[in-house]
Amino acid sequence: MDKKLVLIIQCFLSAVAGLSVIWFAFASVKPFTLDEAEYFARAAHEINEIGFKMYGNIPEGSKQKTRLEVAHPLLYNHLFALWYKIFGESTISGRLFGVFCYLITLLLLFYLTRICSPPETSWPVFLFSGILYFLNPLLIQHAMLLDIDNSILTVFIVAFCLVFLKNENETSIKSRLLPALFFALALCSKEVTTPFILVAVIIYRLLKRETRQAILDFCLIGIGGFLLFWFVWVLYCKFTGVPVMAFVEHGLANKGTGVARSFISNPGAFISSAFSGFTWPMVWASASFFVLLFLSFFSRVSSVIKKWHVEKQDLLWILGIIIWTVYQLYRPTPDMMKYQYPAYPLFIICISIYLVNLLNTPAEIILSKHASGKKAKRVRVVREATIMGIDIVLKKSILIYSAIILCITLTYYIWIGDPLLNLYESPYGFLFAYLAPLFLCVFFIKAFAPKIRMSLLVAYICILFMVAQNTALNFLQIRNYTTCESWLNYGERGLSKVVHYLKDKIKPGDIVYSRKDINYYLRDVYDLPAKNFFNTKNLIPALKKDRNYFHKLIKRENIRFIVIDPFGAPKAIQEIISPYFELVEVFGKFPVYENKTAIKRRKSKISG
């Protein structure tokens, strides 16, 4: 690749990396919501407070099998607790754990590009990978979440691909020990996604017609890694008192059977929802990113079919497609994007290899070769002049044209606003406004420069539009109200204000029913008595039972405040509590109700 072009890409990568610091800084101060607060931040707090055996330390009289719910193997929880112990317990330090894993993944991508591409193109491939990685708003925003898939699981999956591909041609048992270790570490992180690694390896070996190697990989990496994981897990359970089957009962038994029943009962609706749900990752990673992904994929498939030469990058393709597709089918909702997260670094390397190969294409191939009859002679006459013209444009004018297109499209995509909000309000209108400029730009350039090869033109336009769409979305995320998951449950407002309101009003003996993330901040951050806080979701069955039962519950328990969850509590519940509770404040989406008796007592004290 031309040295000047490489230098330009290096400068652009440096600028994008600098901007990403700003984007990360704004997302790092967002409060933890829902599972982030309950399963990870609270768990880390209690591990550091109670000790390594926290999960098996069940409160006296409790019927629970573990102190907190064990949804998956607990490596992430203990690593996150260690992070808290070193850097302190705060929202910012918690968010930065994801950023740390994000940067470790980038470092691994650097070494992976050196394995998956020839030495002369590995540096340009990494430069493109870095730009795609730092610009991707889906990766930036989801890296900030407290969750397994977007942090240590991604690190272990990319590390597995690195050590496996580095030693894939070796036949010794020793060469499979390191891949087996990373497979076991991935299982210790999350048992659901990790088996896809083994499936991808087997498919990859079979495509290479290496049946014996596939069997060895299955036995040594798959079974060996699983046995290592299971040994460590059983040892941990014996030491801490956690039931060995805890995560199996929660994840594989409950959720797995639920998905199977949903598919069997209505497979058409199941698949249809997966296609309709594609709009979320499409706008968060950008439509242009997926166009480049499809171009890269079809180019790779075409190459494999023609030559039947399987390359190292094909393992990344297989694994990325499996992870992404399974979760797209599993439950195509916005919060599924974080589970598809490990697929994107793999896709980014594959796209980057395609782009570098495309830019290394000889100048003659850029021209359309479909000329016949009278046109053939004219094409031959102007071929040399046309190639020279393209060469001049590429060297002198392309940067100017690119800058103009980039500025116009960036302004436009900032103007049309938050994608998820627009999708909810006007899905078809937004999709037209979002996609139309991309297709119009390709159409007009092709009309004025018909000899430029279509794949090169589409790739060029998609790179420009992807930079514009992703940069616009990243800048939109620094506003006070957006709809990313790390932004207060997709733009939900009022959580912080509820916490600050309640922390100053709660007295010893008061009982508060609110959502688990609000409880986390009141109980664990502000150190209010833990026994006073209950999840509103647990109150709903009592509210629905009958008014007399609820009246007795209020008399028995000194319930002072009830905070209604905007998603978890219907309006009917507000009607049931209205005879006993008064609406005192509304913070964003959260109405706060206070016991009328407590209000009367407070007023009488003031008047007295």
Side-chain angles (χ1 to χ4, degrees), residues 334-356:
D335 61 344
M336 276 296 119
M337 289 188 284
K338 64 189 174 194
Y339 302 132
Q340 295 171 325
Y341 185 102
Y344 286 96
L346 308 181
F347 286 154
I348 281 171
I349 289 181
C350 296
I351 292 172
S352 300
I353 292 172
Y354 167 75
L355 291 175
V356 170

mmCIF file with all atom_site columns, all heavy atoms in Angstrom, residues 334-356:
data_model
loop_
_atom_site.group_PDB
_atom_site.id
_atom_site.type_symbol
_atom_site.label_atom_id
_atom_site.label_alt_id
_atom_site.label_comp_id
_atom_site.label_asym_id
_atom_site.label_entity_id
_atom_site.label_seq_id
_atom_site.pdbx_PDB_ins_code
_atom_site.Cartn_x
_atom_site.Cartn_y
_atom_site.Cartn_z
_atom_site.occupancy
_atom_site.B_iso_or_equiv
_atom_site.pdbx_formal_charge
_atom_site.auth_seq_id
_atom_site.auth_comp_id
_atom_site.auth_asym_id
_atom_site.auth_atom_id
_atom_site.pdbx_PDB_model_num
ATOM 1   N N   . PRO A 1 334 ? -33.051 -4.535  22.077 1.00 0.00 ? 334 PRO A N   1
ATOM 2   C CA  . PRO A 1 334 ? -31.842 -3.695  22.225 1.00 0.00 ? 334 PRO A CA  1
ATOM 3   C C   . PRO A 1 334 ? -30.814 -4.253  23.201 1.00 0.00 ? 334 PRO A C   1
ATOM 4   O O   . PRO A 1 334 ? -29.613 -4.121  22.975 1.00 0.00 ? 334 PRO A O   1
ATOM 5   C CB  . PRO A 1 334 ? -32.415 -2.363  22.721 1.00 0.00 ? 334 PRO A CB  1
ATOM 6   C CG  . PRO A 1 334 ? -33.795 -2.321  22.170 1.00 0.00 ? 334 PRO A CG  1
ATOM 7   C CD  . PRO A 1 334 ? -34.282 -3.734  22.188 1.00 0.00 ? 334 PRO A CD  1
ATOM 8   N N   . ASP A 1 335 ? -31.261 -4.888  24.291 1.00 0.00 ? 335 ASP A N   1
ATOM 9   C CA  . ASP A 1 335 ? -30.280 -5.357  25.270 1.00 0.00 ? 335 ASP A CA  1
ATOM 10  C C   . ASP A 1 335 ? -29.584 -6.644  24.849 1.00 0.00 ? 335 ASP A C   1
ATOM 11  O O   . ASP A 1 335 ? -28.738 -7.160  25.574 1.00 0.00 ? 335 ASP A O   1
ATOM 12  C CB  . ASP A 1 335 ? -30.920 -5.525  26.654 1.00 0.00 ? 335 ASP A CB  1
ATOM 13  C CG  . ASP A 1 335 ? -32.051 -6.533  26.664 1.00 0.00 ? 335 ASP A CG  1
ATOM 14  O OD1 . ASP A 1 335 ? -32.542 -6.884  25.578 1.00 0.00 ? 335 ASP A OD1 1
ATOM 15  O OD2 . ASP A 1 335 ? -32.451 -6.961  27.760 1.00 0.00 ? 335 ASP A OD2 1
ATOM 16  N N   . MET A 1 336 ? -29.903 -7.169  23.654 1.00 0.00 ? 336 MET A N   1
ATOM 17  C CA  . MET A 1 336 ? -29.169 -8.320  23.137 1.00 0.00 ? 336 MET A CA  1
ATOM 18  C C   . MET A 1 336 ? -27.863 -7.909  22.468 1.00 0.00 ? 336 MET A C   1
ATOM 19  O O   . MET A 1 336 ? -26.997 -8.741  22.227 1.00 0.00 ? 336 MET A O   1
ATOM 20  C CB  . MET A 1 336 ? -30.024 -9.087  22.122 1.00 0.00 ? 336 MET A CB  1
ATOM 21  C CG  . MET A 1 336 ? -30.973 -10.082 22.734 1.00 0.00 ? 336 MET A CG  1
ATOM 22  S SD  . MET A 1 336 ? -30.109 -11.418 23.602 1.00 0.00 ? 336 MET A SD  1
ATOM 23  C CE  . MET A 1 336 ? -30.722 -11.189 25.247 1.00 0.00 ? 336 MET A CE  1
ATOM 24  N N   . MET A 1 337 ? -27.719 -6.613  22.141 1.00 0.00 ? 337 MET A N   1
ATOM 25  C CA  . MET A 1 337 ? -26.513 -6.182  21.412 1.00 0.00 ? 337 MET A CA  1
ATOM 26  C C   . MET A 1 337 ? -25.246 -6.426  22.220 1.00 0.00 ? 337 MET A C   1
ATOM 27  O O   . MET A 1 337 ? -24.187 -6.698  21.655 1.00 0.00 ? 337 MET A O   1
ATOM 28  C CB  . MET A 1 337 ? -26.635 -4.712  21.032 1.00 0.00 ? 337 MET A CB  1
ATOM 29  C CG  . MET A 1 337 ? -27.666 -4.442  19.943 1.00 0.00 ? 337 MET A CG  1
ATOM 30  S SD  . MET A 1 337 ? -27.634 -2.726  19.344 1.00 0.00 ? 337 MET A SD  1
ATOM 31  C CE  . MET A 1 337 ? -28.465 -1.887  20.696 1.00 0.00 ? 337 MET A CE  1
ATOM 32  N N   . LYS A 1 338 ? -25.342 -6.336  23.542 1.00 0.00 ? 338 LYS A N   1
ATOM 33  C CA  . LYS A 1 338 ? -24.136 -6.561  24.347 1.00 0.00 ? 338 LYS A CA  1
ATOM 34  C C   . LYS A 1 338 ? -23.696 -8.021  24.296 1.00 0.00 ? 338 LYS A C   1
ATOM 35  O O   . LYS A 1 338 ? -22.514 -8.325  24.479 1.00 0.00 ? 338 LYS A O   1
ATOM 36  C CB  . LYS A 1 338 ? -24.383 -6.131  25.790 1.00 0.00 ? 338 LYS A CB  1
ATOM 37  C CG  . LYS A 1 338 ? -25.443 -6.920  26.523 1.00 0.00 ? 338 LYS A CG  1
ATOM 38  C CD  . LYS A 1 338 ? -25.769 -6.283  27.853 1.00 0.00 ? 338 LYS A CD  1
ATOM 39  C CE  . LYS A 1 338 ? -26.943 -6.982  28.543 1.00 0.00 ? 338 LYS A CE  1
ATOM 40  N NZ  . LYS A 1 338 ? -27.476 -6.206  29.655 1.00 0.00 ? 338 LYS A NZ  1
ATOM 41  N N   . TYR A 1 339 ? -24.619 -8.941  24.014 1.00 0.00 ? 339 TYR A N   1
ATOM 42  C CA  . TYR A 1 339 ? -24.252 -10.354 23.907 1.00 0.00 ? 339 TYR A CA  1
ATOM 43  C C   . TYR A 1 339 ? -23.621 -10.671 22.546 1.00 0.00 ? 339 TYR A C   1
ATOM 44  O O   . TYR A 1 339 ? -22.900 -11.654 22.408 1.00 0.00 ? 339 TYR A O   1
ATOM 45  C CB  . TYR A 1 339 ? -25.478 -11.234 24.140 1.00 0.00 ? 339 TYR A CB  1
ATOM 46  C CG  . TYR A 1 339 ? -26.120 -11.004 25.491 1.00 0.00 ? 339 TYR A CG  1
ATOM 47  C CD1 . TYR A 1 339 ? -27.488 -10.816 25.620 1.00 0.00 ? 339 TYR A CD1 1
ATOM 48  C CD2 . TYR A 1 339 ? -25.350 -10.942 26.649 1.00 0.00 ? 339 TYR A CD2 1
ATOM 49  C CE1 . TYR A 1 339 ? -28.073 -10.595 26.862 1.00 0.00 ? 339 TYR A CE1 1
ATOM 50  C CE2 . TYR A 1 339 ? -25.911 -10.708 27.884 1.00 0.00 ? 339 TYR A CE2 1
ATOM 51  C CZ  . TYR A 1 339 ? -27.276 -10.541 27.983 1.00 0.00 ? 339 TYR A CZ  1
ATOM 52  O OH  . TYR A 1 339 ? -27.841 -10.299 29.208 1.00 0.00 ? 339 TYR A OH  1
ATOM 53  N N   . GLN A 1 340 ? -23.907 -9.830  21.548 1.00 0.00 ? 340 GLN A N   1
ATOM 54  C CA  . GLN A 1 340 ? -23.270 -9.982  20.233 1.00 0.00 ? 340 GLN A CA  1
ATOM 55  C C   . GLN A 1 340 ? -21.902 -9.300  20.191 1.00 0.00 ? 340 GLN A C   1
ATOM 56  O O   . GLN A 1 340 ? -21.168 -9.457  19.214 1.00 0.00 ? 340 GLN A O   1
ATOM 57  C CB  . GLN A 1 340 ? -24.169 -9.363  19.156 1.00 0.00 ? 340 GLN A CB  1
ATOM 58  C CG  . GLN A 1 340 ? -25.505 -10.073 18.986 1.00 0.00 ? 340 GLN A CG  1
ATOM 59  C CD  . GLN A 1 340 ? -26.454 -9.307  18.087 1.00 0.00 ? 340 GLN A CD  1
ATOM 60  O OE1 . GLN A 1 340 ? -26.467 -8.077  18.083 1.00 0.00 ? 340 GLN A OE1 1
ATOM 61  N NE2 . GLN A 1 340 ? -27.258 -10.016 17.319 1.00 0.00 ? 340 GLN A NE2 1
ATOM 62  N N   . TYR A 1 341 ? -21.578 -8.582  21.239 1.00 0.00 ? 341 TYR A N   1
ATOM 63  C CA  . TYR A 1 341 ? -20.359 -7.765  21.299 1.00 0.00 ? 341 TYR A CA  1
ATOM 64  C C   . TYR A 1 341 ? -19.094 -8.531  20.894 1.00 0.00 ? 341 TYR A C   1
ATOM 65  O O   . TYR A 1 341 ? -18.280 -8.006  20.124 1.00 0.00 ? 341 TYR A O   1
ATOM 66  C CB  . TYR A 1 341 ? -20.229 -7.206  22.720 1.00 0.00 ? 341 TYR A CB  1
ATOM 67  C CG  . TYR A 1 341 ? -19.100 -6.246  22.953 1.00 0.00 ? 341 TYR A CG  1
ATOM 68  C CD1 . TYR A 1 341 ? -19.330 -4.877  23.011 1.00 0.00 ? 341 TYR A CD1 1
ATOM 69  C CD2 . TYR A 1 341 ? -17.789 -6.683  23.152 1.00 0.00 ? 341 TYR A CD2 1
ATOM 70  C CE1 . TYR A 1 341 ? -18.296 -3.972  23.251 1.00 0.00 ? 341 TYR A CE1 1
ATOM 71  C CE2 . TYR A 1 341 ? -16.755 -5.793  23.384 1.00 0.00 ? 341 TYR A CE2 1
ATOM 72  C CZ  . TYR A 1 341 ? -17.019 -4.443  23.432 1.00 0.00 ? 341 TYR A CZ  1
ATOM 73  O OH  . TYR A 1 341 ? -15.983 -3.559  23.659 1.00 0.00 ? 341 TYR A OH  1
ATOM 74  N N   . PRO A 1 342 ? -18.858 -9.768  21.373 1.00 0.00 ? 342 PRO A N   1
ATOM 75  C CA  . PRO A 1 342 ? -17.593 -10.449 21.015 1.00 0.00 ? 342 PRO A CA  1
ATOM 76  C C   . PRO A 1 342 ? -17.425 -10.696 19.527 1.00 0.00 ? 342 PRO A C   1
ATOM 77  O O   . PRO A 1 342 ? -16.296 -10.913 19.069 1.00 0.00 ? 342 PRO A O   1
ATOM 78  C CB  . PRO A 1 342 ? -17.692 -11.788 21.780 1.00 0.00 ? 342 PRO A CB  1
ATOM 79  C CG  . PRO A 1 342 ? -18.638 -11.532 22.904 1.00 0.00 ? 342 PRO A CG  1
ATOM 80  C CD  . PRO A 1 342 ? -19.637 -10.556 22.354 1.00 0.00 ? 342 PRO A CD  1
ATOM 81  N N   . ALA A 1 343 ? -18.524 -10.657 18.760 1.00 0.00 ? 343 ALA A N   1
ATOM 82  C CA  . ALA A 1 343 ? -18.412 -10.911 17.319 1.00 0.00 ? 343 ALA A CA  1
ATOM 83  C C   . ALA A 1 343 ? -17.785 -9.730  16.582 1.00 0.00 ? 343 ALA A C   1
ATOM 84  O O   . ALA A 1 343 ? -17.117 -9.917  15.554 1.00 0.00 ? 343 ALA A O   1
ATOM 85  C CB  . ALA A 1 343 ? -19.793 -11.217 16.732 1.00 0.00 ? 343 ALA A CB  1
ATOM 86  N N   . TYR A 1 344 ? -17.982 -8.515  17.088 1.00 0.00 ? 344 TYR A N   1
ATOM 87  C CA  . TYR A 1 344 ? -17.570 -7.327  16.329 1.00 0.00 ? 344 TYR A CA  1
ATOM 88  C C   . TYR A 1 344 ? -16.057 -7.186  16.164 1.00 0.00 ? 344 TYR A C   1
ATOM 89  O O   . TYR A 1 344 ? -15.592 -6.834  15.065 1.00 0.00 ? 344 TYR A O   1
ATOM 90  C CB  . TYR A 1 344 ? -18.187 -6.073  16.957 1.00 0.00 ? 344 TYR A CB  1
ATOM 91  C CG  . TYR A 1 344 ? -19.664 -5.965  16.673 1.00 0.00 ? 344 TYR A CG  1
ATOM 92  C CD1 . TYR A 1 344 ? -20.607 -6.415  17.585 1.00 0.00 ? 344 TYR A CD1 1
ATOM 93  C CD2 . TYR A 1 344 ? -20.123 -5.441  15.461 1.00 0.00 ? 344 TYR A CD2 1
ATOM 94  C CE1 . TYR A 1 344 ? -21.968 -6.349  17.306 1.00 0.00 ? 344 TYR A CE1 1
ATOM 95  C CE2 . TYR A 1 344 ? -21.478 -5.362  15.186 1.00 0.00 ? 344 TYR A CE2 1
ATOM 96  C CZ  . TYR A 1 344 ? -22.397 -5.815  16.116 1.00 0.00 ? 344 TYR A CZ  1
ATOM 97  O OH  . TYR A 1 344 ? -23.740 -5.746  15.834 1.00 0.00 ? 344 TYR A OH  1
ATOM 98  N N   . PRO A 1 345 ? -15.223 -7.405  17.190 1.00 0.00 ? 345 PRO A N   1
ATOM 99  C CA  . PRO A 1 345 ? -13.770 -7.340  16.938 1.00 0.00 ? 345 PRO A CA  1
ATOM 100 C C   . PRO A 1 345 ? -13.311 -8.334  15.860 1.00 0.00 ? 345 PRO A C   1
ATOM 101 O O   . PRO A 1 345 ? -12.400 -8.020  15.075 1.00 0.00 ? 345 PRO A O   1
ATOM 102 C CB  . PRO A 1 345 ? -13.164 -7.700  18.312 1.00 0.00 ? 345 PRO A CB  1
ATOM 103 C CG  . PRO A 1 345 ? -14.204 -7.305  19.299 1.00 0.00 ? 345 PRO A CG  1
ATOM 104 C CD  . PRO A 1 345 ? -15.508 -7.600  18.623 1.00 0.00 ? 345 PRO A CD  1
ATOM 105 N N   . LEU A 1 346 ? -13.953 -9.503  15.804 1.00 0.00 ? 346 LEU A N   1
ATOM 106 C CA  . LEU A 1 346 ? -13.603 -10.498 14.784 1.00 0.00 ? 346 LEU A CA  1
ATOM 107 C C   . LEU A 1 346 ? -14.026 -10.006 13.402 1.00 0.00 ? 346 LEU A C   1
ATOM 108 O O   . LEU A 1 346 ? -13.270 -10.126 12.424 1.00 0.00 ? 346 LEU A O   1
ATOM 109 C CB  . LEU A 1 346 ? -14.289 -11.836 15.104 1.00 0.00 ? 346 LEU A CB  1
ATOM 110 C CG  . LEU A 1 346 ? -14.087 -12.379 16.526 1.00 0.00 ? 346 LEU A CG  1
ATOM 111 C CD1 . LEU A 1 346 ? -14.809 -13.715 16.696 1.00 0.00 ? 346 LEU A CD1 1
ATOM 112 C CD2 . LEU A 1 346 ? -12.609 -12.543 16.847 1.00 0.00 ? 346 LEU A CD2 1
ATOM 113 N N   . PHE A 1 347 ? -15.241 -9.439  13.316 1.00 0.00 ? 347 PHE A N   1
ATOM 114 C CA  . PHE A 1 347 ? -15.711 -8.885  12.044 1.00 0.00 ? 347 PHE A CA  1
ATOM 115 C C   . PHE A 1 347 ? -14.812 -7.738  11.577 1.00 0.00 ? 347 PHE A C   1
ATOM 116 O O   . PHE A 1 347 ? -14.537 -7.601  10.385 1.00 0.00 ? 347 PHE A O   1
ATOM 117 C CB  . PHE A 1 347 ? -17.141 -8.362  12.195 1.00 0.00 ? 347 PHE A CB  1
ATOM 118 C CG  . PHE A 1 347 ? -18.193 -9.441  12.283 1.00 0.00 ? 347 PHE A CG  1
ATOM 119 C CD1 . PHE A 1 347 ? -19.388 -9.196  12.937 1.00 0.00 ? 347 PHE A CD1 1
ATOM 120 C CD2 . PHE A 1 347 ? -17.999 -10.687 11.710 1.00 0.00 ? 347 PHE A CD2 1
ATOM 121 C CE1 . PHE A 1 347 ? -20.373 -10.170 13.025 1.00 0.00 ? 347 PHE A CE1 1
ATOM 122 C CE2 . PHE A 1 347 ? -18.967 -11.677 11.793 1.00 0.00 ? 347 PHE A CE2 1
ATOM 123 C CZ  . PHE A 1 347 ? -20.156 -11.417 12.453 1.00 0.00 ? 347 PHE A CZ  1
ATOM 124 N N   . ILE A 1 348 ? -14.369 -6.926  12.515 1.00 0.00 ? 348 ILE A N   1
ATOM 125 C CA  . ILE A 1 348 ? -13.559 -5.748  12.163 1.00 0.00 ? 348 ILE A CA  1
ATOM 126 C C   . ILE A 1 348 ? -12.259 -6.155  11.488 1.00 0.00 ? 348 ILE A C   1
ATOM 127 O O   . ILE A 1 348 ? -11.839 -5.539  10.504 1.00 0.00 ? 348 ILE A O   1
ATOM 128 C CB  . ILE A 1 348 ? -13.303 -4.908  13.433 1.00 0.00 ? 348 ILE A CB  1
ATOM 129 C CG1 . ILE A 1 348 ? -14.551 -4.068  13.764 1.00 0.00 ? 348 ILE A CG1 1
ATOM 130 C CG2 . ILE A 1 348 ? -12.086 -4.004  13.280 1.00 0.00 ? 348 ILE A CG2 1
ATOM 131 C CD1 . ILE A 1 348 ? -14.507 -3.373  15.100 1.00 0.00 ? 348 ILE A CD1 1
ATOM 132 N N   . ILE A 1 349 ? -11.613 -7.211  11.988 1.00 0.00 ? 349 ILE A N   1
ATOM 133 C CA  . ILE A 1 349 ? -10.377 -7.687  11.339 1.00 0.00 ? 349 ILE A CA  1
ATOM 134 C C   . ILE A 1 349 ? -10.672 -8.173  9.925  1.00 0.00 ? 349 ILE A C   1
ATOM 135 O O   . ILE A 1 349 ? -9.931  -7.868  8.980  1.00 0.00 ? 349 ILE A O   1
ATOM 136 C CB  . ILE A 1 349 ? -9.731  -8.816  12.171 1.00 0.00 ? 349 ILE A CB  1
ATOM 137 C CG1 . ILE A 1 349 ? -9.146  -8.242  13.462 1.00 0.00 ? 349 ILE A CG1 1
ATOM 138 C CG2 . ILE A 1 349 ? -8.626  -9.503  11.373 1.00 0.00 ? 349 ILE A CG2 1
ATOM 139 C CD1 . ILE A 1 349 ? -8.459  -9.261  14.336 1.00 0.00 ? 349 ILE A CD1 1
ATOM 140 N N   . CYS A 1 350 ? -11.762 -8.919  9.759  1.00 0.00 ? 350 CYS A N   1
ATOM 141 C CA  . CYS A 1 350 ? -12.120 -9.457  8.437  1.00 0.00 ? 350 CYS A CA  1
ATOM 142 C C   . CYS A 1 350 ? -12.417 -8.331  7.448  1.00 0.00 ? 350 CYS A C   1
ATOM 143 O O   . CYS A 1 350 ? -11.981 -8.389  6.289  1.00 0.00 ? 350 CYS A O   1
ATOM 144 C CB  . CYS A 1 350 ? -13.332 -10.376 8.562  1.00 0.00 ? 350 CYS A CB  1
ATOM 145 S SG  . CYS A 1 350 ? -13.038 -11.844 9.564  1.00 0.00 ? 350 CYS A SG  1
ATOM 146 N N   . ILE A 1 351 ? -13.156 -7.305  7.877  1.00 0.00 ? 351 ILE A N   1
ATOM 147 C CA  . ILE A 1 351 ? -13.440 -6.155  7.009  1.00 0.00 ? 351 ILE A CA  1
ATOM 148 C C   . ILE A 1 351 ? -12.146 -5.439  6.638  1.00 0.00 ? 351 ILE A C   1
ATOM 149 O O   . ILE A 1 351 ? -11.943 -5.044  5.477  1.00 0.00 ? 351 ILE A O   1
ATOM 150 C CB  . ILE A 1 351 ? -14.414 -5.183  7.705  1.00 0.00 ? 351 ILE A CB  1
ATOM 151 C CG1 . ILE A 1 351 ? -15.800 -5.812  7.860  1.00 0.00 ? 351 ILE A CG1 1
ATOM 152 C CG2 . ILE A 1 351 ? -14.531 -3.870  6.927  1.00 0.00 ? 351 ILE A CG2 1
ATOM 153 C CD1 . ILE A 1 351 ? -16.757 -4.992  8.697  1.00 0.00 ? 351 ILE A CD1 1
ATOM 154 N N   . SER A 1 352 ? -11.257 -5.277  7.606  1.00 0.00 ? 352 SER A N   1
ATOM 155 C CA  . SER A 1 352 ? -10.000 -4.565  7.364  1.00 0.00 ? 352 SER A CA  1
ATOM 156 C C   . SER A 1 352 ? -9.129  -5.305  6.352  1.00 0.00 ? 352 SER A C   1
ATOM 157 O O   . SER A 1 352 ? -8.495  -4.671  5.491  1.00 0.00 ? 352 SER A O   1
ATOM 158 C CB  . SER A 1 352 ? -9.245  -4.378  8.681  1.00 0.00 ? 352 SER A CB  1
ATOM 159 O OG  . SER A 1 352 ? -10.020 -3.638  9.598  1.00 0.00 ? 352 SER A OG  1
ATOM 160 N N   . ILE A 1 353 ? -9.076  -6.614  6.440  1.00 0.00 ? 353 ILE A N   1
ATOM 161 C CA  . ILE A 1 353 ? -8.321  -7.411  5.452  1.00 0.00 ? 353 ILE A CA  1
ATOM 162 C C   . ILE A 1 353 ? -8.898  -7.196  4.056  1.00 0.00 ? 353 ILE A C   1
ATOM 163 O O   . ILE A 1 353 ? -8.163  -7.012  3.081  1.00 0.00 ? 353 ILE A O   1
ATOM 164 C CB  . ILE A 1 353 ? -8.344  -8.907  5.832  1.00 0.00 ? 353 ILE A CB  1
ATOM 165 C CG1 . ILE A 1 353 ? -7.541  -9.137  7.114  1.00 0.00 ? 353 ILE A CG1 1
ATOM 166 C CG2 . ILE A 1 353 ? -7.803  -9.773  4.698  1.00 0.00 ? 353 ILE A CG2 1
ATOM 167 C CD1 . ILE A 1 353 ? -7.668  -10.546 7.680  1.00 0.00 ? 353 ILE A CD1 1
ATOM 168 N N   . TYR A 1 354 ? -10.227 -7.182  3.962  1.00 0.00 ? 354 TYR A N   1
ATOM 169 C CA  . TYR A 1 354 ? -10.895 -6.963  2.670  1.00 0.00 ? 354 TYR A CA  1
ATOM 170 C C   . TYR A 1 354 ? -10.560 -5.581  2.115  1.00 0.00 ? 354 TYR A C   1
ATOM 171 O O   . TYR A 1 354 ? -10.232 -5.442  0.925  1.00 0.00 ? 354 TYR A O   1
ATOM 172 C CB  . TYR A 1 354 ? -12.406 -7.113  2.852  1.00 0.00 ? 354 TYR A CB  1
ATOM 173 C CG  . TYR A 1 354 ? -13.218 -6.620  1.676  1.00 0.00 ? 354 TYR A CG  1
ATOM 174 C CD1 . TYR A 1 354 ? -13.294 -7.365  0.500  1.00 0.00 ? 354 TYR A CD1 1
ATOM 175 C CD2 . TYR A 1 354 ? -13.903 -5.408  1.739  1.00 0.00 ? 354 TYR A CD2 1
ATOM 176 C CE1 . TYR A 1 354 ? -14.041 -6.905  -0.583 1.00 0.00 ? 354 TYR A CE1 1
ATOM 177 C CE2 . TYR A 1 354 ? -14.650 -4.950  0.669  1.00 0.00 ? 354 TYR A CE2 1
ATOM 178 C CZ  . TYR A 1 354 ? -14.711 -5.697  -0.491 1.00 0.00 ? 354 TYR A CZ  1
ATOM 179 O OH  . TYR A 1 354 ? -15.447 -5.250  -1.560 1.00 0.00 ? 354 TYR A OH  1
ATOM 180 N N   . LEU A 1 355 ? -10.612 -4.554  2.951  1.00 0.00 ? 355 LEU A N   1
ATOM 181 C CA  . LEU A 1 355 ? -10.346 -3.186  2.489  1.00 0.00 ? 355 LEU A CA  1
ATOM 182 C C   . LEU A 1 355 ? -8.904  -3.021  2.024  1.00 0.00 ? 355 LEU A C   1
ATOM 183 O O   . LEU A 1 355 ? -8.646  -2.380  0.994  1.00 0.00 ? 355 LEU A O   1
ATOM 184 C CB  . LEU A 1 355 ? -10.652 -2.188  3.614  1.00 0.00 ? 355 LEU A CB  1
ATOM 185 C CG  . LEU A 1 355 ? -12.122 -2.013  3.992  1.00 0.00 ? 355 LEU A CG  1
ATOM 186 C CD1 . LEU A 1 355 ? -12.262 -1.090  5.197  1.00 0.00 ? 355 LEU A CD1 1
ATOM 187 C CD2 . LEU A 1 355 ? -12.931 -1.481  2.819  1.00 0.00 ? 355 LEU A CD2 1
ATOM 188 N N   . VAL A 1 356 ? -7.968  -3.592  2.754  1.00 0.00 ? 356 VAL A N   1
ATOM 189 C CA  . VAL A 1 356 ? -6.557  -3.490  2.350  1.00 0.00 ? 356 VAL A CA  1
ATOM 190 C C   . VAL A 1 356 ? -6.327  -4.221  1.031  1.00 0.00 ? 356 VAL A C   1
ATOM 191 O O   . VAL A 1 356 ? -5.630  -3.711  0.144  1.00 0.00 ? 356 VAL A O   1
ATOM 192 C CB  . VAL A 1 356 ? -5.640  -4.043  3.460  1.00 0.00 ? 356 VAL A CB  1
ATOM 193 C CG1 . VAL A 1 356 ? -4.208  -4.185  2.965  1.00 0.00 ? 356 VAL A CG1 1
ATOM 194 C CG2 . VAL A 1 356 ? -5.678  -3.137  4.676  1.00 0.00 ? 356 VAL A CG2 1
#
